[in-house]
Every structure is written in structure tokens, then in C-alpha cells.
């Protein structure tokens, strides 16, 4: 199998681009973002909650409906071949003005086109309302 074109030094930029494109770019059609970033066979496990691609789509739609804006800071990112790992903080401003932030530890794999194929992640709420604690797997 051929490797993808993303260099290991670009792992942080890849994750920032993915997260911003999926969550913080609501003017872009969700289907367009999914086509760019997510393999059709995608699976995700967040804090022990398993999601197939359809459940992930419901999660992204929920986030886009709840979040007015925000940003991601990738603190560390590693890439070897098609495997990627990072530690990032997501800062989200909800549509009602409340702000929450989360630390995320993520391990994943990419397909031949550089789209995410699978992700396993653990989230920890750093700031914000307790009702946002499960935002990482909310649908």
C-alpha cells in the first residue's frame, strides 16, 4: 500500500485542519466535510462509547447545532505511516454563550487518501458547565 502525502512534521497541522473543518466550520456542508475528512468505514470510540460512521455523523450534527464557535490547540502530535496520535485542547463557545474546554488524547489511523479511518480517544473536561462533560460523545 502506498503511503499518503502528509509528512510526520505536519501531524499537528493535519489534526488542526480536521478538527476545525469538522466542528468549527458550520458554513461548510457537513456532507462535504465528511467526504474530505472521514472514510466511509469510519469508527470511533470516545470515552468507551463506540460509534460507527452514522453515529459519528449524528455526533457532528449535534456539535454543529450546539457550538457557535471555538478553536483547537494541538499540543503534541505524532505520525508514523498511517497512524496518528495527538493531545489537543478544544475550546468551544456554545450558542448560549457558555464556554467549555476539553483535553483530548487521540490515537487513530488514516486511509490511503489521508482521511480518518478509526479513532480511539479519551476526553477530560477542563472548564465549563457539568452538563457539557459528555460533549465528546453526545448525539
Amino acid at each position: 500500500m502506498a503511503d499518503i502525502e502528509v509528512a510526520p512534521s505536519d501531524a499537528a497541522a493535519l489534526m488542526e485542519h480536521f478538527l476545525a473543518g469538522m466542528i468549527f466550520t458550520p458554513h461548510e456542508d457537513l456532507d462535504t466535510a465528511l467526504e474530505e475528512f472521514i472514510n466511509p468505514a469510519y469508527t470511533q470510540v470516545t470515552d468507551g462509547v463506540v460509534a460507527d460512521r452514522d453515529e459519528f455523523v449524528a455526533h457532528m450534527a449535534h456539535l454543529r447545532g450546539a457550538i457557535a464557535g471555538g478553536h483547537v490547540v494541538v499540543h503534541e502530535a505524532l505520525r508514523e505511516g498511517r497512524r496518528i496520535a495527538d493531545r489537543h485542547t478544544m475550546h468551544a463557545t456554545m450558542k448560549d454563550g457558555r464556554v467549555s474546554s476539553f483535553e483530548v488524547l487521540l490515537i487513530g489511523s488514516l486511509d490511503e487518501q489521508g482521511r480518518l479511518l478509526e479513532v480511539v480517544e479519551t476526553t477530560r473536561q477542563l472548564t465549563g458547565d457539568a452538563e457539557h462533560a459528555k460533549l465528546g460523545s453526545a448525539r
Side-chain angles (χ1 to χ4, degrees):
M1 287 193 264
D3 200 10
I4 60 175
E5 295 292 320
V6 179
S9 62
D10 293 336
L14 175 70
M15 292 310 297
E16 287 172 354
H17 180 68
F18 163 75
L19 293 162
M22 287 303 302
I23 300 170
F24 299 123
T25 313
H27 61 274
E28 183 173 320
D29 179 65
L30 182 56
D31 289 334
T32 301
L34 289 164
E35 179 65 29
E36 179 179 353
F37 298 116
I38 302 295
N39 181 285
Y42 181 75
T43 59
Q44 179 170 315
V45 179
T46 302
D47 300 326
V49 178
V50 179
D52 62 16
R53 189 174 195 272
D54 289 341
E55 292 165 323
F56 176 76
V57 170
H59 172 60
M60 286 296 107
H62 174 81
L63 291 181
R64 285 175 167 223
I67 295 173
H71 66 281
V72 173
V73 177
V74 176
H75 306 286
E76 302 171 88
L78 303 168
R79 175 161 181 269
E80 183 176 326
R82 292 190 188 156
R83 301 292 296 162
I84 191 158
D86 88 342
R87 181 176 66 87
H88 65 267
T89 304
M90 182 182 87
H91 303 276
T93 302
M94 304 302 158
K95 289 190 174 175
D96 64 8
R98 294 180 293 168
V99 177
S100 290
S101 62
F102 302 85
E103 178 182 57
V104 180
L105 304 174
L106 176 149
I107 298 172
S109 63
L110 306 169
D111 69 9
E112 297 84 7
Q113 289 88 37
R115 299 175 300 180
L116 283 169
L117 180 60
E118 66 176 345
V119 162
V120 176
E121 64 183 5
T122 300
T123 65
R124 177 173 67 105
Q125 186 173 13
L126 302 174
T127 65
D129 293 343
E131 72 182 74
H132 298 153
K134 299 293 183 188
L135 197 62
S137 58
R139 294 186 186 102

